[in-house]
């Protein structure tokens, strides 16, 4: 059995790495798209939508419902990419330790 001092030192190192990852995720920007790239959403690693880009060809009143659906799909695509990147970063930090889903994010 390891001594408590060594365990505490490892816990502090893991906490420091997780704080660094949090800062990295905040600065990270991921783009999700829908409709063959006609709608794009840029989101931070924390899930904050920064920009929405819409192809001018979609700006027709009769296309409103399609546009709304594409914006939602692009945002969900970006969110899925953010979650995947966050999980990969968490796995690299944890080094194989079993970390509960959502821990530290």
């Amino acid at each position: 059995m390891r001594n408590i001092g060594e365990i505490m030192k490892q816990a502090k190192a893991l906490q420091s790495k997780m704080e660094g990852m949090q800062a990295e995720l905040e600065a990270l920007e991921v783009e999700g798209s829908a409709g063959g790239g006609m709608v794009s959403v840029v989101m931070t690693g924390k899930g904050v939508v920064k920009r929405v880009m819409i192809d001018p060809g979609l700006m027709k009143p009769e296309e409103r419902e399609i546009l709304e659906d594409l914006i939602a799909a692009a945002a969900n695509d970006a969110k899925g990419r953010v979650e995947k990147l966050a999980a990969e970063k968490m796995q690299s930090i944890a080094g194989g330790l079993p970390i509960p889903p959502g821990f530290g994010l």
Side-chain angles (χ1 to χ4, degrees), residues 4 28 40 42 58 78 84 86 95 101:
I4 193 79
L28 180 71
S40 296
V42 175
L58 290 174
K84 181 180 177 195

Side-chain angles (χ1 to χ4, degrees), residues 1-7 10:
M1 182 179 210
R2 296 186 199 185
N3 77 32
I4 193 79
E6 182 65 28
I7 292 171
Q10 287 180 342

Side-chain angles (χ1 to χ4, degrees), residues 1-80:
M1 182 179 210
R2 296 186 199 185
N3 77 32
I4 193 79
E6 182 65 28
I7 292 171
M8 293 300 292
K9 193 183 299 183
Q10 287 180 342
K12 281 190 122 179
L14 180 59
Q15 180 180 7
S16 176
K17 287 179 182 179
M18 287 180 65
E19 288 170 357
M21 184 191 78
Q22 292 291 329
E24 199 175 315
L25 284 174
E26 231 170 281
L28 180 71
E29 288 190 357
V30 176
E31 183 175 325
S33 65
M38 294 180 80
V39 174
S40 296
V41 172
V42 175
M43 181 180 287
T44 70
K46 291 289 207 167
V48 175
V49 175
K50 299 280 281 200
R51 279 187 313 279
V52 175
M53 289 87 53
I54 302 167
D55 184 286
L58 290 174
M59 304 302 258
K60 300 174 187 164
E62 66 273 10
E63 304 273 332
R64 185 175 144 253
E65 190 174 329
I66 293 169
L67 180 57
E68 290 169 348
D69 290 344
L70 289 173
I71 291 170
N76 289 331
D77 183 46
K79 187 173 189 275

